């Protein structure tokens, strides 16, 4: 039976370093990695079984189906499955977000982490992009590294989690990729700027080499500033991220996938900037709509004291000249979500996970 986040002293010492005053205010570009070679591999089936034992008193997980979007120019290679998810920081869920219709028992970490892991294990992503990760060192890195993932974490410089009593450290973005499928070529941790000032929002961008095809692929994960009234701020952050990605991808010569909680509806300027970028990006989940031009009606749905919040904020952007979307995971229906909305005993986050299968375009020299 594998450890479900009972941290070793080594993990606690690494976490303590991340929480030291210097690390919180000025994060290093690289956090000391866990030596996964010292840990035994985990069989995903065994981990899933352990999660299900912990969750046996909860309702079964929601069933969602993939929608086939494959065109005639199908690749002969295995698709690359990418998962995007704001998992809800534990400190914020319990201490700040105030989900008035969600019982506090539904947010217990010992069970909620099993719901998160169950969702990840169900879809078996080759690349996993997460936001609001505040249990990286004691849960996600030790477990996912033993499942064969290479793990990277970049915390926010001034995480709101640190304001919560008995917090587990700062939240941030995390990226995981299967080492059997990819080789890391380059990695960049980016503290986003707005009006030339550094902000509290971050991104990770990694260039990977696909073992099967030999092709390069850049993956980025980000989480932009939240709340109404910060639209121009998000727009500036988006412009900064796009400029960084233009440099990293050599002006779109390297195919790109950007995952994130943008905290922005499709009507916002930052959405238009990504849609009209010279990187030639398209939003994968638009392809689920009948006209291929409309985003889903929601990717987050919750009830707070101020009322019900139903928004489309989460996206998977991709280089439409170089990549094809073979399929996308359908969203939960309103009936599945239920009248108390998210999170719940059924679902661990207030945001839905997005999952897409990608393949490389067969003509890599195709013009933008």
């Amino acid at each position: 039976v594998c450890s479900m986040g009972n941290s070793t002293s080594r993990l606690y010492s690494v976490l303590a370093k991340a929480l030291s005053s210097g690390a919180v205010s000025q994060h290093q570009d690289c956090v000391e990695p866990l030596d996964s070679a010292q840990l035994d591999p985990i069989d995903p089936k065994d981990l899933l079984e352990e999660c299900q034992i912990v969750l046996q008193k909860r309702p079964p997980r929601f069933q969602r189906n993939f929608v086939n979007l494959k065109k005639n120019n199908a690749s002969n290679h295995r698709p690359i499955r990418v998962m995007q998810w704001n998992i809800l920081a534990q400190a914020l869920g319990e201490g700040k977000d105030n989900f008035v219709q969600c019982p506090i028992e539904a947010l217990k970490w010992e069970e909620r982490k099993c719901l998160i892991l169950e969702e990840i294990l169900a879809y078996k992503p080759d690349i996993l992009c997460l936001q609001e990760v505040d249990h990286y060192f004691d849960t996600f890195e030790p477990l996912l590294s033993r499942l064969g993932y290479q793990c990277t974490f970049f915390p926010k410089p001034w995480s709101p989690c640190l304001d919560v009593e008995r917090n587990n450290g700062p939240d941030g973005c995390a990226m995981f990729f299967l080492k059997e499928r990819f080789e890391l070529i380059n990695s960049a941790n980016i503290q986003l700027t707005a009006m030339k000032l550094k902000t509290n929002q971050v991104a990770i961008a990694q260039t990977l080499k696909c073992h099967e095809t030999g092709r390069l692929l850049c993956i980025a994960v980000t989480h932009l500033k939240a709340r109404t009234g910060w639209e121009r701020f998000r727009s500036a952050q988006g412009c900064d991220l796009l400029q960084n990605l233009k440099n990293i991808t050599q002006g779109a010569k390297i195919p790109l996938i950007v995952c994130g909680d943008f905290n922005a509806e499709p009507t916002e300027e930052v959405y238009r900037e990504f849609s009209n970028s010279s990187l030639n990006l398209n939003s994968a989940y638009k392809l689920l709509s009948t006209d291929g031009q409309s985003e889903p009606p929601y990717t987050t749905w919750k009830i707070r004291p101020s009322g019900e919040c139903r928004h489309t904020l989460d996206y998977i952007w991709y280089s439409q000249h170089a990549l094809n979307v073979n399929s996308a995971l359908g969203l939960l229906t309103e009936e599945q979500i239920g009248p108390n909305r998210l999170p719940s005993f059924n679902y661990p986050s207030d945001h839905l996970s997005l999952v897409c299968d990608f393949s490389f375009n067969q003509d890599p020299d195709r013009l933008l």
Side-chain angles (χ1 to χ4, degrees):
V1 177
C2 61
S3 165
M4 287 293 296
N6 294 325
S7 305
T8 65
S9 58
R10 171 178 162 77
L11 285 172
Y12 276 125
S13 69
V14 173
L15 183 60
K17 288 180 186 176
L19 289 177
S20 67
S21 58
V24 169
S25 61
Q26 295 181 341
H27 290 296
Q28 299 170 344
D29 284 345
C30 298
V31 179
E32 182 185 352
L34 178 71
D35 185 359
S36 58
Q38 295 179 3
L39 301 173
D40 294 330
I42 300 174
D43 186 325
K45 293 180 182 177
D46 291 341
L47 181 56
L48 181 59
E49 186 176 306
E50 186 173 341
C51 288
Q52 290 170 343
I53 290 171
V54 174
L55 297 170
Q56 58 188 336
K57 293 184 179 179
R58 292 204 178 205
R61 62 181 298 276
F62 294 124
Q63 295 303 306
R64 299 164 64 185
N65 298 317
F66 280 90
V67 178
N68 185 8
L69 302 167
K70 195 176 291 184
K71 299 177 183 177
N72 293 330
N73 57 347
S75 169
N76 295 324
H77 300 290
R78 276 191 301 161
I80 297 169
R81 178 161 290 181
V82 176
M83 184 173 186
Q84 146 61 29
W85 198 13
N86 178 331
I87 61 171
L88 174 60
Q90 184 64 20
L92 301 184
E94 287 188 307
K96 277 201 165 192
D97 280 345
N98 209 357
F99 302 115
V100 293
Q101 295 295 103
C102 178
I104 193 66
E105 295 82 13
L107 297 172
K108 287 170 52 179
W109 178 242
E110 288 306 309
E111 294 183 6
R112 198 173 77 84
K113 70 180 175 186
C114 291
L115 277 178
I116 295 170
L117 290 166
E118 186 182 43
E119 181 92 346
I120 294 168
L121 291 164
Y123 299 121
K124 304 172 186 172
D126 300 302
I127 299 168
L128 172 63
C129 295
L130 302 179
Q131 299 86 37
E132 289 199 25
V133 179
D134 63 346
H135 276 269
Y136 176 80
F137 292 106
D138 65 355
T139 301
F140 295 104
E141 184 186 33
L143 289 174
L144 292 178
S145 64
R146 294 168 72 182
L147 291 171
Y149 288 92
Q150 185 157 327
C151 314
T152 305
F153 175 62
F154 192 32
K156 293 174 183 172
W158 310 283
S159 167
C161 293
L162 298 175
D163 296 333
V164 178
E165 190 176 356
R166 294 189 298 276
N167 66 76
N168 201 62
D171 76 302
C173 292
M175 186 183 295
F176 310 83
F177 66 84
L178 284 177
K179 292 184 286 186
E180 69 172 22
R181 295 214 65 185
F182 304 100
E183 173 190 354
L184 179 63
I185 303 300
N186 181 62
S187 184
N189 289 350
I190 304 164
Q191 185 178 354
L192 298 175
T193 64
M195 299 81 166
K196 299 184 179 180
L197 298 174
K198 289 187 179 296
T199 73
N200 193 35
Q201 280 63 48
V202 300
I204 303 169
Q206 297 191 330
T207 302
L208 310 178
K209 183 177 182 180
C210 176
H211 292 315
E212 192 174 357
T213 64
R215 301 279 295 273
L216 294 180
L217 176 66
C218 180
I219 306 288
V221 56
T222 195
H223 188 186
L224 302 188
K225 173 67 181 172
R227 296 193 176 86
T228 302
W230 292 86
E231 291 81 5
R232 289 185 61 195
F233 197 83
R234 280 191 288 272
S235 174
Q237 289 182 326
C239 287
D240 181 48
L241 179 56
L242 285 169
Q243 186 57 54
N244 275 280
L245 294 174
K246 286 174 188 175
N247 296 334
I248 292 169
T249 62
Q250 302 166 31
K253 288 182 181 177
I254 299 173
L256 172 65
I257 295 174
V258 185
C259 295
D261 174 358
F262 279 60
N263 276 308
E265 292 273 11
T267 53
E268 273 199 33
E269 181 63 30
V270 67
Y271 182 94
R272 291 193 291 274
E273 286 161 356
F274 270 73
S275 296
N276 300 325
S277 165
S278 62
L279 293 171
N280 198 24
L281 299 173
N282 192 23
S283 175
Y285 263 73
K286 281 167 52 176
L287 302 180
L288 288 181
S289 64
T290 52
D291 61 0
Q293 300 298 316
S294 305
E295 291 289 352
Y298 51 84
T299 62
T300 179
W301 202 342
K302 58 202 130 193
I303 300 175
R304 285 179 166 149
S306 57
E308 196 156 341
C309 307
R310 178 179 178 267
H311 300 291
T312 300
L313 306 177
D314 307 272
Y315 306 95
I316 299 179
W317 297 91
Y318 70 101
S319 300
Q320 56 187 336
H321 62 283
L323 297 167
N324 300 308
V325 185
N326 296 356
S327 61
L329 182 65
L331 300 176
L332 292 176
T333 64
E334 180 176 358
E335 182 181 15
Q336 285 176 308
I337 291 173
N340 293 332
R341 309 315 184 198
L342 303 173
S344 66
F345 281 109
N346 299 75
Y347 200 77
S349 176
D350 54 327
H351 290 252
L352 300 177
S353 63
L354 308 181
V355 186
C356 290
D357 290 336
F358 291 95
S359 60
F360 288 105
N361 190 301
Q362 292 306 288
D363 182 6
D365 297 322
R366 181 178 171 186
L367 296 177
L368 298 185

